[in-house]
């Protein structure tokens, strides 16, 4: 009998696309959202059948929340036979795009809408409960906000595993238009659902290339040849929200050439602390040291505060003779800055505030 079942499957699998509408209906009922599939291909891989779903979309009702270019499902044949329902041994998602509300993830404001809309409930059911083991490649997570531009996380690879209430993933990602290479990450979560989950996020970078960030936000720094940062970071997650991120900076530097000479500015190892606030977020630093090839300036502290209306920047204990190398990089063409430098300023600014 089993040999007959296997033979029938081998013959029927190439015609899987003719059952596309029925599969869409079954998935829509199971996930509680409208599922559309562009094309279905199937075959026999190793010891069991495999399905390939092209151009899958899940619509939560507000807008198209999730789209996947290619979904490969390797089925657990014997478990599917015993349980009389399809059981995936492994799933690979390629070209996934998902939009998520960043305000609901990071804000401490109790009035912020919680991420409970249908699309997220659907994904929770699929990725936290139904799938035990899956891989995501060449995908994007798009963080949108009411008051800020979208932040796009390019996920080159993510391996994820669910074991009852333990949920673990590791992989590599880049921030579009900010970094030119990847950050490694580990996400370790515990809990029955996304709303109540708690755990930790770990990030690690080695020579993270920030040239795209400088070119986007500081076009006057076009002479930069290299801008790299090295850090480790630990974030805590409570009740589904990121509570804080502690960053340990290692050696960081920017390099440029001027009049045939190489120049470099370095930022010493130190600590950064990111925290959400009721109105937005804040970033605080420990004392840092800025240095060139000839001099160093210690005791520097930074603070950023962001709310819905403005971004405020505070700089403390800034030594004025550090203006010269910074001006060479960022404001060499500014008559105002050059005029100030002609007076060879000395001393330090106790506090500089910009917004």
């Amino acid at each position: 009998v089993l040999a007959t079942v296997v033979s029938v499957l081998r013959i029927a699998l190439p015609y899987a696309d003719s059952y596309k509408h029925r599969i869409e209906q079954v998935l829509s009922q199971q996930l509680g959202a409208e599922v559309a599939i562009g094309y279905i291909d199937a075959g026999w891989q190793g010891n069991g059948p495999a399905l390939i779903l092209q151009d899958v979309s899940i619509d939560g009702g507000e807008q198209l929340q999730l789209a996947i270019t290619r979904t490969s499902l390797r089925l657990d044949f014997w478990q599917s036979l015993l349980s009389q329902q399809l059981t995936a041994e492994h799933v690979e998602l390629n070209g996934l795009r998902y939009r998520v509300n960043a305000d609901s993830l990071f804000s401490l404001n109790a009035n912020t809408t919680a991420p409970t809309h249908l699309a997220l409930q659907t994904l929770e059911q699929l990725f936290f409960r139904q799938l035990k083991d899956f891989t995501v490649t060449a995908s994007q997570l798009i963080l949108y906000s009411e008051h800020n531009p979208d932040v796009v996380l390019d996920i080159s690879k993510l391996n994820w595993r669910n074991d009852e209430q333990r949920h673990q993933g590791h992989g590599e990602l880049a921030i579009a238009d900010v970094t030119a290479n990847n950050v490694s990450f580990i996400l370790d979560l515990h809990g029955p659902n996304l709303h109540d989950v708690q755990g930790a996020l770990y990030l690690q970078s080695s020579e993270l290339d920030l040239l795209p960030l400088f070119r986007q936000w500081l076009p006057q720094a076009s002479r930069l040849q290299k801008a790299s940062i090295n850090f480790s970071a630990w974030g805590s997650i409570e009740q589904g929200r990121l509570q804080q991120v502690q960053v340990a900076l290692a050696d960081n530097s920017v390099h440029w050439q001027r009049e045939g000479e190489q120049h470099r500015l370095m930022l010493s190892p130190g600590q950064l602390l990111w925290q959400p606030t009721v109105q937005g977020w804040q970033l605080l630093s420990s004392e840092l040291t800025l240095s060139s090839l000839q001099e160093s300036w210690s005791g520097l502290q930074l603070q950023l505060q962001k709310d819905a209306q403005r971004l405020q920047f505070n700089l403390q204990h800034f030594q004025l003779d550090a203006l010269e190398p910074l001006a060479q990089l960022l404001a060499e063409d500014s008559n105002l800055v050059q005029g100030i430098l002609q007076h060879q300023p000395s001393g330090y600014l106790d506090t500089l505030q910009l917004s």
Side-chain angles (χ1 to χ4, degrees), residues 75-92:
L75 302 179
D76 187 330
F77 175 69
W78 301 110
Q79 185 61 35
S80 299
L81 198 63
L82 291 172
S83 63
Q84 297 185 1
Q85 65 179 26
L86 292 179
T87 302
E89 180 180 335
H90 184 74
V91 176
E92 181 172 334

Side-chain angles (χ1 to χ4, degrees), residues 163-191:
D163 186 4
E164 296 183 351
Q165 294 194 21
R166 182 80 178 270
H167 316 280
Q168 290 182 303
H170 63 90
E172 295 184 342
L173 62 83
I175 306 175
D177 300 322
V178 174
T179 65
N181 51 356
N182 290 329
V183 175
S184 300
F185 68 91
I186 299 173
L187 190 58
D188 188 7
L189 303 175
H190 303 259

